[in-house]
Amino acid sequence: MADPYSNLGAQDTALQERIADAMEARCLEPAQIAIRKAYLEKLGLPENAAALELGSGTGHVTRDLLELAGAATAHGIEPSPVMVRRARKSFADDDRLSFNTGDAKDTGLADKTFDLIVMHTLLCHVPGPEEVVREAYRLLKPGGILAVCDGDYSTATAQIADFDPLDQLIKFMINQNVTNLWIMRRISGILTEHGFQLGARTGHGYVAEGEAAYFLTVIDRGADRMVEDGLLFAETSEALKSEARRRVSAKTFFGFMSYVSQIAVKP
Ligand SMILES: C[S@@+](CC[C@H](N)C(=O)[O-])C[C@H]1O[C@@H](n2cnc3c(N)ncnc32)[C@H](O)[C@@H]1O
């Protein structure tokens, strides 16, 4: 199966719901919030700024565009109807937020509408990320800010010793779920080619904390996918899942990945 996030609206509803649960678990972890805070709080938006998140998933990052970046309104575009329904439900009481289904490559929105566009863990999933960058340039007002943040996926690991079998699940999931492994190593060049002026580029280390909620979703989905692919028997997959949980309770679980953010301005 190809990266399911690259065409999430076409996946069966149960898989979209499972991915939505994993996305919410990730969004709510304090270490993930700290990454978003680190690059969104310093943007210096004008008064009454209009913001857009492309690939808005369950909507938590879109809400950050108000709470952390200080935008007056924020709109999310997302192809999966399951995600859009969840985002609308979670944030129904905030009329500054809106969500619609759509494609980041061709939003149908008017030229020069937004002061800020954010792509948070979107571009790693999109075949032809250049088309999304071109669309963002069209949608931004002159002087508008683009913020791209994504994982540097080759750094993802749960390894605590040589030949650690849990780490294979992480590598397998990255291989199955990421279309553009090297996106944050290439993004500055892509943005420059499309007319943007580069701002700050920052690295953010993410270490799973406490119950490791998000990393456990990666391990569980990886183990189940190996069973679906005929690579593991169900019993082995359950054993690996319980190994991860035993490590969490024994305080020996380790999960890590680097994220990188790149800020750019439309001249
Ligand atoms: C890993 S999730 C990130 C969601 C959200 N930004 C967050 O960090 O919680 C990536 C999202 O991008 C969406 N996506 C994938 N291709 C897209 C496209 N062409 N246009 C807009 N969104 C897309 C997926 O459906 C998915 O919800």
Side-chain angles (χ1 to χ4, degrees), residues 51 78 129 163 197 227 255 267:
E78 162 62 47
F163 313 114
Q197 287 172 351
V227 174

Side-chain angles (χ1 to χ4, degrees), residues 4-5 7-9 16 19 23 52-59 62 75-85 87-88 98-104 107 120-122:
Y5 291 80
N7 195 6
L8 201 49
Q16 292 187 54
I19 288 179
M23 243 182 242
L52 173 69
E53 186 189 7
L54 295 173
S56 48
T58 54
T62 317
H75 184 58
I77 294 278
E78 162 62 47
S80 155
V82 168
M83 300 293 161
V84 170
R85 246 193 327 271
R88 285 180 177 161
S98 54
F99 300 94
N100 272 331
T101 49
D103 184 347
T107 59
H120 189 90
T121 63
L122 165 68

Side-chain angles (χ1 to χ4, degrees), residues 192-250:
T192 306
E193 273 167 29
H194 287 78
F196 282 98
Q197 287 172 351
L198 297 180
R201 176 163 64 174
T202 310
H204 313 269
Y206 164 67
V207 181
E209 296 169 302
E211 297 301 304
Y214 173 60
F215 252 87
L216 289 186
T217 74
V218 177
I219 283 170
D220 289 357
R221 287 179 291 152
D224 289 345
R225 187 98 163 249
M226 282 191 175
V227 174
E228 280 160 30
D229 288 2
L231 197 58
L232 289 183
F233 290 110
E235 295 81 350
T236 320
S237 127
E238 292 308 314
L240 288 168
K241 291 182 199 173
S242 72
E243 169 70 20
R245 282 161 179 78
R246 290 279 297 274
R247 287 189 194 180
V248 169
S249 53

Side-chain angles (χ1 to χ4, degrees), residues 126 200 212:
V126 183

